[in-house]
Amino acid sequence: MSRPPPPGALPPQLSAAAAAGTLRRLARFLGHALPLCRAHAVEFYTRGLWDRLVAPRPAAVLQALGAAGLGRPLAEASGAAAALWDDDTFSNVFCEKSKKLINVHLFALAAKYYSLSNLGVCTPLEDIFEALRRDNQGTTGIKTDEFMNNKKSHEVQVMSELVDNITNYCGIKQVIDIGSGKGYLSSFLSMQYNLKVYGIDSSNTNTKGAHERNRKLKKHWRAYQSRGRANLKSQRLENANDRPVDSEIKRKAINEKPLNNDSSLQSQDQVTLQDLVPSCRFTEIATSETSKHSEVDLVARTESDESKLSEEVLAILNVLPADAVEVFSSSQCNCAELSEEEKAQRKMASLKAKENKSSESNLYFPLTSCITAETELSDIITDLEDCMMVGLHTCGDLAANTLRIFTAKPEIKAVCSVGCCYHLLSEQFENQEDCPEEVWGFPMCQYLKDNGWCCGRNARMSACLALERVAVGQMLPTESLFYRAVLQVIIEEIYGVTKSDRHVGKTFSKSSSFIDYVRKSLKKLELDDSKLPDSCIMDYYEKYQHRMNELEAFNMLKVVLAPCIEVLILLDRLCYLKEQDNISWSGLVKLFDPVKSPRCYAVIALKKQSCV
């Protein structure tokens, strides 16, 4: 049943012209800067990348980047920096003839200028919540940090609240989670907000894992149900004189863990009932869709003493998915205490509850399917209705295809997509292949298509780097990159191999020394290491050791430029949405703390005539 949208208006959105103008300026800057990121660290020494691309010495580069203040907002938006944004002044950053980077300070300012935090193209999350949040907002909170890691908990809580607000605004109850993985977001949306969620993932292993998580939640409910009945006996004594239960006793009942002996459940999903059970009063919670599945059974119990469950038990009914709650059987109550009329009511209610359960046994449905731009959702979801499509860190082309499906399917009224794994995107102009019928992950908007824009895989890989984490002290893996770059020199000079289908993998973390690293890597590459003595390996190491700071400085330049490449990809997606005629509102919104979750920006859009 749809919920009527409340009054209110969405925040002002960036115009299509403004979005396109910003994308064009950014593309011009990256046209000069991308060679730094198109180079691969493996080839750093074999291709002489430093001398080819950077004029200043490594120490000067590191000093200039340090002075620019990584992660700090752009303060020099006027003066020297302001002049930079003219096309004619790019020669101040890169040499017009050699194309080398010559002014590191201006390069850092330009990278800051073209970051999402400075461009002013994002809609603040607070503005979205203020526009969408209902007056009665304040759903009972379920803690997630006991059964998700800190990063996932942060992401799921923020995004699920946003999704709930958008679905309420649009008056819809169905959500399709694309690339749902292990079902963290899907299950939380169904438990916390009583939304009917279809989680679609291409991995059958993930789908089975999501089913298993639901089974464990059901197991939790059964254990809590037994404990609730034990607590009920104590509660009856307290209520003998119609006195309210002491709040301290209630808090104690909530905070105790009833499954202390279930080590397997705790270790696998780390769910504790104190986190599943809300700490507020049941009477303060709005009636949810989940509770309606057990509503008939509960109403039939209202005249019996057994129906006086503790507030904690009633509260958990409001947040667990329907399938996690077993329908109470008549054997769970002393039938001798019931009148004949009450017994008849109980029997009818039980039959009706079982009927409801058979037709709709759960609010969360994990499904296995590979999603493409041509996917017909109605072939996967038989009861497809007006819905919202979401994706939390959908990899590569899946994020782009999510937006394409949203624009093409009239049933999908809103979308909230947070992409990741940019290196897995397919690019139309990367290999100069003429495949007009192919659907590519990048570019999406007409401007970049008309200009044949291409980032390249190495640049897209750089877009995955986390500037904010580096800014707070998380170091780059310079030594491992150095090992790999020197190994490449050995492979080419000693073995004459320039390309190989095999990979070294995570050999560095398993190696005790550079010699050990080289020998293990050669074995993985199926190269004979017996003709390479230890002394020869160390000669290579010592030859390049003094140049390790070049690699460190080069990678810092890539980290500084990384947010600009991500902006290009996100603006491409936003401009694609702005080009569509059936969308009433679209924008970029920063959802997460970038230190906790570097891929923190969502592309959000709502269809016309559905949410207004």
Side-chain angles (χ1 to χ4, degrees), residues 327-386:
V327 177
F328 288 37
S329 67
S330 58
S331 61
Q332 289 175 313
C333 176
N334 186 357
C335 294
E337 298 179 3
L338 300 177
S339 66
E340 290 300 321
E341 182 180 356
E342 289 171 333
K343 289 179 182 179
Q345 290 176 343
R346 288 283 304 274
K347 185 175 181 180
M348 292 298 297
S350 179
L351 290 173
K352 188 168 184 178
K354 287 179 179 179
E355 181 183 351
N356 290 338
K357 184 176 180 180
S358 64
S359 62
E360 185 178 8
S361 62
N362 202 332
L363 291 180
Y364 169 39
F365 304 86
L367 304 171
T368 301
S369 181
C370 183
I371 301 297
T372 67
E374 293 82 18
T375 296
E376 287 292 340
L377 292 176
S378 56
D379 293 339
I380 305 171
I381 303 171
T382 56
D383 63 338
L384 183 66
E385 59 188 49
D386 287 355

Side-chain angles (χ1 to χ4, degrees), residues 106-181:
L106 285 182
F107 170 82
L109 292 182
K112 284 189 175 186
Y113 178 83
Y114 287 112
S115 66
L116 280 177
S117 59
N118 183 77
L119 285 173
V121 297
C122 289
T123 302
L125 179 61
E126 295 76 14
D127 292 357
I128 297 286
F129 278 139
E130 184 177 349
L132 298 181
R133 194 172 273 139
R134 294 164 291 163
D135 292 337
N136 62 343
Q137 189 75 16
T139 306
T140 304
I142 304 175
K143 295 180 181 179
T144 59
D145 53 3
E146 289 291 337
F147 59 100
M148 302 180 198
N149 61 38
N150 289 336
K151 175 179 178 293
K152 184 61 66 177
S153 175
H154 170 63
E155 295 164 353
V156 166
Q157 290 196 63
V158 174
M159 188 164 179
S160 61
E161 183 181 358
L162 176 62
V163 170
D164 176 62
N165 277 274
I166 294 176
T167 56
N168 273 291
Y169 185 83
C170 295
I172 55 182
K173 288 286 292 181
Q174 191 177 90
V175 174
I176 302 174
D177 184 3
I178 300 295
S180 55

Side-chain angles (χ1 to χ4, degrees), residues 81 198 203 222 228 233 244 258 297 330 335 342 421 441 538 572 612:
Y198 285 93
S203 169
R222 287 169 177 165
K233 295 178 180 178
D297 192 34
S330 58
C335 294
E342 289 171 333
C421 302
M538 287 308 298
D572 172 54
V612 293

Side-chain angles (χ1 to χ4, degrees), residues 117 129 174 195 210 246 287 299 341 361 469 514 558 563 597 599 610:
S117 59
F129 278 139
Q174 191 177 90
L195 293 165
D246 185 80
T287 301
V299 168
E341 182 180 356
S361 62
R469 288 185 173 179
F514 181 68
K558 295 172 74 170
S597 181
R599 306 282 75 80
S610 61

Side-chain angles (χ1 to χ4, degrees), residues 3 139 160-161 164 173 188-195:
R3 292 168 290 184
T139 306
S160 61
E161 183 181 358
D164 176 62
K173 288 286 292 181
F188 195 76
L189 285 170
S190 66
M191 285 193 303
Q192 175 77 336
Y193 297 106
N194 302 301
L195 293 165

Side-chain angles (χ1 to χ4, degrees), residues 287-319:
T287 301
S288 67
E289 189 70 14
T290 303
S291 63
K292 290 178 183 178
H293 288 281
S294 302
E295 183 178 351
V296 177
D297 192 34
L298 289 175
V299 168
R301 293 171 171 267
T302 55
E303 295 183 10
S304 70
D305 290 338
E306 190 70 15
S307 68
K308 298 176 181 177
L309 298 173
S310 65
E311 290 180 352
E312 292 80 16
V313 175
L314 291 174
I316 201 170
L317 278 171
N318 236 20
V319 296

